[in-house]
Amino acid sequence: MITVVGSINLDIVATGPDLPRPGETVAGARLAMHPGGKGANQALAAKRLGAAVQMVGAVGADDMAAEALKLLEAGGVGLTHVAHINGETTGAALIAVSASGENQIVVCPGANNALRAEDVDHPPLLNLMGVLEVPVPVLLAAARRASGFVTLNLAPALPVPDELLAEADLISVNETEAAAYGARLDDCGARVAVSLGSEGAVLKRNGAEIARARPPQVTVVDTVGAGDTFTAALTVALLEGRGEADALAFAVTAGALACTRPGAQPSLPHRKDVDALLSATA
Ligand code: RIB
């Protein structure tokens, strides 16, 4: 069992030829809407990779909520602890994707920011995956109460207290986030996974590299959700007792597959596809 404490968004995606520079208008994009949010993406990714998953989070009492939750519901993620908050809008992410698959994201947190530490007092918190798109005090309360394994995806990079880092067994960040947290990640005692885009990922402890994996070559359509898939897959694999190098290879393969389809949640891979690609490229 894994419990995710994190964000639930509706992603509003414009796929066009290029990303706009400040002040620029890019015309001719295609519009799509998909369920997203780093927390919800990681919950569904872990479920599709074989774990039983509960989601703790919040949406608004609005029309976007059902749309934001529909793939979690269809995928069998437990939603008993998702609050519907009156007077708040469901979180939304405005995403621009270029022809080469790069993206820019602006997040409007809405109900995600209305989650309170009391909201994590009661849900079972066995094996926590926590994501920084909900308030830091919520994540700290959840990490302190959790039993079993604690993964923290410190994305996006924000000021966080040392007490939070000290609760983690695994911290997952990308290169930009790793640079923002700096040496604090080396000193916190957790294993730290740094995703490196098309270069794969490295796993460190106390600043020293303990594993490195390169992803299989894939045709990149859209990288949104790839980092979430990586974090979920690494957590699932470590919880299954796989060795660090094996778990990292599994995670970069799952992350690569998430880049081959558009959208966050629609692109999250299923276990059989990750296993098949892993054996084909071994
Ligand atoms: O990591 C990708 C996610 O970041 C998107 O689904 C978007 O909602 C933002 O939270």
Side-chain angles (χ1 to χ4, degrees):
M1 164 67 79
I2 290 175
T3 303
V4 175
V5 174
S7 52
I8 301 166
N9 291 337
L10 186 61
D11 290 352
I12 300 162
V13 186
T15 305
D18 291 303
L19 299 180
R21 290 185 296 260
E24 190 186 15
T25 300
V26 172
R30 252 189 353 270
L31 181 70
M33 278 195 244
H34 309 288
K38 293 185 196 305
N41 296 346
Q42 289 174 38
L44 187 60
K47 182 73 175 68
R48 286 186 179 172
L49 293 171
V53 183
Q54 284 286 333
M55 178 81 212
V56 179
V59 291
D62 58 12
D63 291 345
M64 296 198 317
E67 195 60 24
L69 292 172
K70 78 174 181 195
L71 291 185
L72 291 179
E73 198 165 17
V77 171
L79 299 178
T80 321
H81 301 288
V82 172
H84 293 246
I85 304 183
N86 279 325
E88 295 288 348
T89 54
T90 296
L94 311 180
I95 304 180
V97 179
S98 72
S100 63
E102 285 182 308
N103 64 66
Q104 288 173 335
I105 306 182
V106 177
V107 173
C108 312
N112 295 302
N113 258 5
L115 211 59
R116 294 289 165 259
E118 307 82 87
D119 295 321
V120 296
D121 279 350
H122 299 296
L125 294 176
L126 173 60
N127 301 322
L128 172 72
M129 291 204 297
V131 186
L132 263 187
E133 282 186 332
V134 295
V136 171
V138 175
L139 221 47
L140 182 58
R144 282 183 169 150
R145 243 202 84 223
S147 54
F149 196 80
V150 174
T151 298
L152 296 178
N153 175 216
L154 298 181
L158 290 173
V160 291
D162 287 339
E163 297 92 293
L164 180 61
L165 303 186
E167 297 293 338
D169 296 295
L170 172 69
I171 288 175
S172 173
V173 285
N174 65 21
E175 281 177 287
T176 313
E177 292 147 3
Y181 293 111
R184 293 177 72 203
L185 297 182
D186 300 340
D187 300 336
C188 69
R191 280 172 282 185
V192 177
V194 183
S195 58
L196 308 170
S198 60
E199 295 298 305
V202 61
L203 190 61
K204 297 181 179 181
R205 178 166 249 157
N206 302 327
E209 181 171 322
I210 50 178
R212 182 175 283 266
R214 289 186 69 83
Q217 283 214 328
V218 293
T219 304
V220 174
V221 172
D222 174 357
T223 60
V224 178
D228 299 326
T229 306
F230 169 78
T231 301
L234 185 57
T235 303
V236 167
L238 290 173
L239 280 172
E240 287 175 356
R242 290 168 90 142
E244 281 149 345
D246 262 13
L248 201 65
F250 179 76
V252 298
T253 303
L257 273 174
C259 297
T260 61
R261 288 186 286 260
Q265 289 180 28
S267 75
L268 303 175
H270 291 266
R271 179 63 176 249
K272 65 175 177 26
D273 299 320
V274 181
D275 287 343
L277 182 56
L278 203 49
S279 353
T281 51

